[in-house]
């Protein structure tokens, strides 16, 4: 896998765009290319953030049932799961942006945290409505997520 180094002042940089480009550069889609037509957690099928992240969580062992009652729009994910949402990125956590936050549309955005390079730098994989699958580098100077949701990236405490 080629690990691109972001420029010193880059706040967000795409490392690859599209299934074939990402695969050719060694960045996995975790099988989503073969499954994006299916619905996960009752999210709309297709290339969009909520279905992709739901797919990744199901692949990590969660049931294919939305783990909360409420809106499926990305903007609601963190608000509807406050007990497992915080400011700490972890590999396997869900990066979450509220609606209208920088780096997100009016309905918010979610992405899957692939790497934590430092407390202020992460790499995510994501799918976007009306766009394509990609891997992206993000740091705290711009486009930083509103929070991180932790379903499968840490042990559950009874």
């Amino acid at each position: 896998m080629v690990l691109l180094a972001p420029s010193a002042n880059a706040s967000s940089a795409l490392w690859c765009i599209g299934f074939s480009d990402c695969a050719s550069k060694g960045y996995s889609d975790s099988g989503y290319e073969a499954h994006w037509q299916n619905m996960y957690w009752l999210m709309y099928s297709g290339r969009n953030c909520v279905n992709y992240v739901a797919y990744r969580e199901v692949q990590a062992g969660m049931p294919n049932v939305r783990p909360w009652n409420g809106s499926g729009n990305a903007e609601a994910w963190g608000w509807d799961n406050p007990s497992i949402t915080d400011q700490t990125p972890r590999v396997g956590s869900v990066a979450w942006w509220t609606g209208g936050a920088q780096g997100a549309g009016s309905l918010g955005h979610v992405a899957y945290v692939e790497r934590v390079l430092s407390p202020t730098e992460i790499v995510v994989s994501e799918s976007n409505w009306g766009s394509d699958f990609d891997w992206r580098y993000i740091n705290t100077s711009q486009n930083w997520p509103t929070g991180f949701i932790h379903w499968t990236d840490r042990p559950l405490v009874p």
Side-chain angles (χ1 to χ4, degrees):
M1 175 180 301
V2 177
L3 184 59
L4 301 175
S7 66
N9 60 2
S11 59
S12 182
L14 290 173
W15 284 4
C16 64
I17 301 172
F19 294 123
S20 61
D21 181 47
C22 290
S24 74
K25 293 177 179 173
Y27 299 106
S28 175
D29 68 6
S30 297
Y32 192 61
E33 181 177 17
H35 296 280
W36 64 267
Q37 312 90 327
N38 302 322
M39 292 174 64
Y40 296 89
W41 291 357
L42 297 176
M43 304 298 173
Y44 288 119
S45 62
R47 295 180 185 180
N48 63 73
C49 65
V50 293
N51 197 55
Y52 172 68
V53 171
Y55 166 81
R56 291 298 302 267
E57 293 299 314
V58 169
Q59 293 302 304
M62 292 190 68
N64 192 9
V65 177
R66 190 178 304 162
W68 74 91
N69 294 322
S71 171
N73 290 335
E75 67 181 346
W77 283 36
W79 301 130
D80 288 346
N81 296 281
S83 67
I84 58 170
T85 301
D86 62 23
Q87 298 300 308
T88 306
R90 290 189 180 90
V91 172
S93 63
V94 176
W96 162 68
W97 291 260
T98 59
Q102 191 168 13
S106 63
L107 298 178
H109 184 61
V110 288
Y112 188 84
V113 177
E114 297 285 357
R115 296 196 179 123
V116 177
L117 304 175
S118 77
T120 62
E121 299 174 294
I122 59 173
V123 177
V124 300
S125 64
E126 60 191 352
S127 185
N128 295 286
W129 187 264
S131 185
D132 212 338
F133 174 81
D134 63 66
W135 276 54
R136 180 166 53 121
Y137 164 86
I138 302 167
N139 71 32
T140 54
S141 68
Q142 191 174 1
N143 298 334
W144 191 250
T146 304
F148 297 90
I149 307 168
H150 304 280
W151 278 297
T152 59
D153 63 304
R154 63 180 179 187
L156 296 177
V157 177

